[in-house]
Amino acid sequence: MRGPMRLAIHLLGSPRIDRSSGEAYRVRSRKSWSLLAYLLLSDRPPTRSELASLLYSETDDPLRALRWNLSEIRRALGEGAKLGGDPVTLILTPDTLVDVRVVTRGTWPEAIRLPGLGRELLEGFAVRDAAAFSTWLLSAQRHVAAGAEAILHEAALGSLSHARFTEAISHAARAVAMNPLDENHQALLIRLYRLSGDPEGAQRQYGVCVDSFRRELGVTPGPAVEAALRENPRRSAPPADAASTEAVVEAGTAAIAAGAVQGGLDSLREAVRMADRGRTLQLRMTCRLVLAEALIHSLGGLDEEGLAWLHEADGIAAAGGDRETLARVRAELGYVDFLRGRYDRAEHWLIQALELADGTVGIMAKATTYLGSVESDRANYPRALALLDQAVQLAKEAEDPRRQAFASSMIGRVHLLRRDLDAATNWLDTAIDLATDDHWLAFLPWPQSLRSEVQLACSDLAGATESAQQAFARACQLGDPCWEGISARGVAMIAEARGEIDQAFSGLIDARERCNRLADPYVWLDGYILDALCDLGLRHEHPKTPKWVDTMRDLTSRTGMRELEVRALRHSAACGDPGAGPAAALLAADIVNPALL
């Protein structure tokens, strides 16, 4: 935290406002606290009529009640804050601390010192006669809880990078306590016990993890947990010069490119140990970064180990003042958080990567592509399109056709979601052509699956079938869970179009299982498949529909997938939730998508 704070607003746990000079006014009304929380967490200033319907629809004079609560908030915040107008804007002094903002936008050393970290937003609050607000609050609580988990996970990795095992284990254990069914949290904690020289502790945690997964999910933990249990404390390598270390890096990279992934990874791990004995900063950073990228972009579910190496590389680069390496590392950190649906943290890393890139076009193209994809997942479509268009231009300048193909596919997806089918077709065809020309066959199932959906929307059933089947066959050949999931969704949607409803249900359930079979999926895909499953379930009155809707609401609210959250709330309203419809309308008003209306 940047020195003493004049004002601190704590919304985690029991809410309070602290002032460094004198005692702050004590807010008495729960609706004042509710209103303050909404103003602080809302994406845009809400109108007075929106606030009146959200919190005061059952009162005799909603606008008068709103004015009273705004007045109480002004007294609590003091003269430095500005609150008023229509829409209602809240402007705080720059030195004001807001704990929920630190969780979503701050660094982990700042967030870890918050007294309420890990506690519920407006803990224990129940606001009467405000069904829409109660629905919004539940969503906000889930989102803030997910942010706290992400910060604790990040803090554990950061502490590990400095070999502070006791701190790292404490942070990881808190993350596991918040969400024991998160395989990555469990894998990190088990791995930390092993690295700290406590194999018995690792074995105990593994047993707890297995029992929890079998009892709650009916499955056993995946490769990430199993790999963590095999982790061993670091051993030193024999002395080696830089040329020998670089030769091992080259051999490991070549082995991975040739398909011998495990052998290549073992070589890169050995290169890290050799570089550490040589004590050359640049080589120590490079070896860690190459190993991390190999782990993250392989198909083995090993992102968690890759993150640990990234945090170590980040610490070494920061100590050496190497801005370019820092930019590369933080772009990769942002990419992993993007995949995991931790969009606040992804944005944090990717903006830093752009600031550190110092005009290096390749890094800027990568970070801008990922940042545009983050905004697309969040349904911030105008900003997403602006960033992704910039990414295409940067990728052209960097002569990186694969990055250009990735960005083009994401532009195509935005147009598909907004039902601008001609634009979607043009961009997805561009992505397919770029990937084909560069022999990037491992990427093709993604734009092909989206292209199939465009064809289906245009009533081209034959073309949609051909594209979807080709994408699915290629994804299965590659063994890529994400591409299997999105292409299986397309095959299921075609089955529905043909009237094969049972096959559509089984296909969508299979699609979810495929995309989630490893601990490092592209989480947005699960929400997208769930949306199709909920929609199909409602139309055909499937008995599991309420369960699917609850799962989708939890996922989309935790991550901040705003359009998919709107759709989840609409599904929930169709299932009879009285607050879901108004909450969906309020959230949809912030999304620039005519198709959502």
Side-chain angles (χ1 to χ4, degrees), residues 492 501-511:
I501 305 305
D502 290 342
Q503 188 173 337
F505 274 117
S506 62
L508 288 171
I509 292 167
D510 176 64

Short mmCIF file of all heavy atoms in Angstrom, two decimals, residues 492 501-511:
data_model
loop_
_atom_site.label_atom_id
_atom_site.label_comp_id
_atom_site.label_asym_id
_atom_site.label_seq_id
_atom_site.Cartn_x
_atom_site.Cartn_y
_atom_site.Cartn_z
N ALA A 492 -23.19 -31.01 -32.01
CA ALA A 492 -24.44 -31.14 -31.26
C ALA A 492 -25.50 -30.16 -31.76
O ALA A 492 -26.69 -30.51 -31.86
CB ALA A 492 -24.18 -30.92 -29.77
N ILE A 501 -32.83 -34.56 -31.04
CA ILE A 501 -32.71 -33.85 -29.77
C ILE A 501 -31.90 -34.64 -28.75
O ILE A 501 -31.04 -34.07 -28.05
CB ILE A 501 -34.12 -33.52 -29.21
CG1 ILE A 501 -34.94 -32.75 -30.26
CG2 ILE A 501 -34.00 -32.73 -27.91
CD1 ILE A 501 -34.27 -31.49 -30.76
N ASP A 502 -32.14 -35.94 -28.63
CA ASP A 502 -31.36 -36.74 -27.67
C ASP A 502 -29.87 -36.69 -28.01
O ASP A 502 -29.02 -36.61 -27.11
CB ASP A 502 -31.85 -38.19 -27.68
CG ASP A 502 -33.23 -38.34 -27.06
OD1 ASP A 502 -33.65 -37.40 -26.34
OD2 ASP A 502 -33.88 -39.38 -27.29
N GLN A 503 -29.56 -36.75 -29.29
CA GLN A 503 -28.15 -36.69 -29.71
C GLN A 503 -27.56 -35.32 -29.40
O GLN A 503 -26.38 -35.21 -29.04
CB GLN A 503 -28.04 -37.00 -31.19
CG GLN A 503 -26.60 -37.15 -31.69
CD GLN A 503 -26.54 -37.61 -33.14
OE1 GLN A 503 -27.49 -38.21 -33.65
NE2 GLN A 503 -25.43 -37.32 -33.81
N ALA A 504 -28.38 -34.27 -29.52
CA ALA A 504 -27.90 -32.92 -29.19
C ALA A 504 -27.56 -32.81 -27.71
O ALA A 504 -26.52 -32.26 -27.34
CB ALA A 504 -28.96 -31.88 -29.58
N PHE A 505 -28.43 -33.34 -26.85
CA PHE A 505 -28.14 -33.30 -25.41
C PHE A 505 -26.87 -34.07 -25.08
O PHE A 505 -25.98 -33.56 -24.38
CB PHE A 505 -29.32 -33.90 -24.62
CG PHE A 505 -30.41 -32.92 -24.31
CD1 PHE A 505 -31.68 -33.10 -24.82
CD2 PHE A 505 -30.17 -31.83 -23.49
CE1 PHE A 505 -32.70 -32.20 -24.55
CE2 PHE A 505 -31.19 -30.92 -23.20
CZ PHE A 505 -32.45 -31.11 -23.73
N SER A 506 -26.77 -35.30 -25.58
CA SER A 506 -25.59 -36.11 -25.27
C SER A 506 -24.33 -35.48 -25.85
O SER A 506 -23.25 -35.53 -25.23
CB SER A 506 -25.77 -37.53 -25.79
OG SER A 506 -25.92 -37.54 -27.20
N GLY A 507 -24.46 -34.82 -27.01
CA GLY A 507 -23.30 -34.17 -27.62
C GLY A 507 -22.81 -32.98 -26.81
O GLY A 507 -21.59 -32.77 -26.67
N LEU A 508 -23.73 -32.19 -26.27
CA LEU A 508 -23.34 -31.03 -25.46
C LEU A 508 -22.73 -31.46 -24.13
O LEU A 508 -21.76 -30.86 -23.65
CB LEU A 508 -24.54 -30.12 -25.24
CG LEU A 508 -25.01 -29.34 -26.47
CD1 LEU A 508 -26.33 -28.63 -26.19
CD2 LEU A 508 -23.95 -28.31 -26.90
N ILE A 509 -23.29 -32.49 -23.52
CA ILE A 509 -22.72 -33.01 -22.27
C ILE A 509 -21.31 -33.54 -22.53
O ILE A 509 -20.38 -33.30 -21.74
CB ILE A 509 -23.64 -34.09 -21.68
CG1 ILE A 509 -24.95 -33.44 -21.20
CG2 ILE A 509 -22.96 -34.82 -20.54
CD1 ILE A 509 -26.04 -34.44 -20.88
N ASP A 510 -21.14 -34.23 -23.64
CA ASP A 510 -19.82 -34.74 -24.02
C ASP A 510 -18.85 -33.60 -24.30
O ASP A 510 -17.67 -33.67 -23.94
CB ASP A 510 -19.96 -35.63 -25.26
CG ASP A 510 -18.62 -36.12 -25.79
OD1 ASP A 510 -17.94 -36.86 -25.06
OD2 ASP A 510 -18.26 -35.75 -26.93
N ALA A 511 -19.34 -32.52 -24.93
CA ALA A 511 -18.49 -31.36 -25.22
C ALA A 511 -17.93 -30.77 -23.93
O ALA A 511 -16.75 -30.40 -23.86
CB ALA A 511 -19.27 -30.32 -26.00
#
